[in-house]
Structure formats: structure tokens, C-alpha cells
Amino acid sequence: MKKSYQIEVDCANCANKMEEAAKNTAGVKNAVVNFMALKMIVEFEDGQEPDTVMQEVLKNCKKVEDDCEIYL
């Protein structure tokens, strides 16, 4: 399952850090951040609950870019 989320991030480099953090989160099959559109598209592994996984994605993104935001 894929879902799209609105994000808030200040620069393209920060967006890349967010993308890598999301990809390295358990339950995420793939993630793509589009800095220009301020969107993150997350593909979840089978059987994963998107809301639960996205809480972990947000925590991991905050570790690499503390002023970023993902609107769940």
C-alpha cells in the first residue's frame, strides 16, 4: 500500500535526509520525498499498519532534521 503525506522541510538536502530516514524505518518498503511538491510517498510492507509505521517514520526524520514536519 502506498500513501502520500504533506511535509514541511526547508531544503533539498534535508528532504534527502528525511527520505533516507523513512526508507530505514521498519515496516517501510520504499519512500520518496519530493522537495518541490513538499510530499512524501511511502510504500508500506505487507501487513503493516500505516499510522503506526508513520509515527516511527516521523521520529526517525526528527532525528536527522529536527525542524521537519510530516502531516499525518
Side-chain angles (χ1 to χ4, degrees):
M1 171 193 325
K2 284 185 184 180
K3 290 186 97 176
S4 179
Y5 298 90
Q6 186 78 26
I7 62 170
E8 186 175 310
V9 63
D10 295 332
C11 68
N13 187 45
C14 300
N16 287 336
K17 289 179 185 177
M18 285 180 69
E19 183 175 298
E20 283 305 310
K23 284 181 179 179
N24 293 323
T25 302
V28 174
K29 188 173 186 178
N30 194 25
V32 177
V33 172
N34 183 325
F35 174 66
M36 296 301 286
L38 292 177
K39 289 202 182 275
M40 176 186 285
I41 299 169
V42 180
E43 183 177 359
F44 300 95
E45 292 177 356
D46 292 338
Q48 296 295 320
E49 178 58 46
D51 292 339
T52 304
V53 174
M54 285 307 294
Q55 293 297 327
E56 292 304 310
V57 169
L58 180 58
K59 285 181 194 174
N60 289 341
C61 287
K62 291 275 189 188
K63 288 178 188 173
V64 296
E65 192 53 46
D66 63 349
D67 64 345
C68 71
E69 192 59 65
I70 302 172
Y71 299 101
L72 305 176

